[in-house]
Amino acid sequence: RSIPNKLGGVIALVMSIAILFILPILHVNKSQGLQFYPLNQILFWYMVIIIILLTWIGARPVESPFILTGQILTVLYFSYYILNSMISKFWDKFLN
């Protein structure tokens, strides 16, 4: 619903699932856990809130305020993965 184009929606659906399979392969942080990445801990809870809100938006009718909210949350969902990797690399450089 957040993506008005059908092809774009299918691509976003495939990418949202594929990114979960690709992330463990691309994980190259020096530390395995999030305890050494305080900014990533904040981003983790940011992601949890986004998923809860996307779930709630999916149960709402397709009306004006819910469509825009869903589109914004979809962009934030995909931007999380980019921000997470960038902050991890920055934090690794900062610690060395």
Side-chain angles (χ1 to χ4, degrees):
R1 292 193 219 192
S2 296
I3 301 172
N5 185 353
K6 282 191 177 196
L7 179 61
V10 170
I11 291 171
L13 176 68
V14 170
M15 289 303 297
S16 67
I17 301 299
I19 203 164
L20 297 175
F21 288 109
I22 294 170
L23 273 181
I25 297 168
L26 297 178
H27 183 73
V28 292
N29 296 346
K30 294 185 179 185
S31 299
Q32 290 295 323
L34 283 179
Q35 67 266 24
F36 300 113
Y37 299 102
L39 294 175
N40 290 45
Q41 290 175 355
I42 295 169
L43 276 178
F44 170 78
W45 291 108
Y46 163 82
M47 183 63 163
V48 169
I49 292 169
I50 288 174
I51 290 173
I52 291 170
L53 287 175
L54 277 171
T55 303
W56 177 74
I57 286 294
R60 301 289 110 209
V62 183
E63 293 177 356
S64 179
F66 303 123
I67 294 172
L68 181 62
T69 306
Q71 290 173 346
I72 292 169
L73 288 171
T74 301
V75 169
L76 292 175
Y77 174 83
F78 285 109
S79 69
Y80 165 80
Y81 296 106
I82 296 167
L83 284 173
N84 191 25
S85 64
M86 287 175 39
I87 290 175
S88 295
K89 289 178 185 176
F90 169 76
W91 201 254
D92 283 339
K93 288 181 183 179
F94 180 71
L95 290 177
N96 287 334

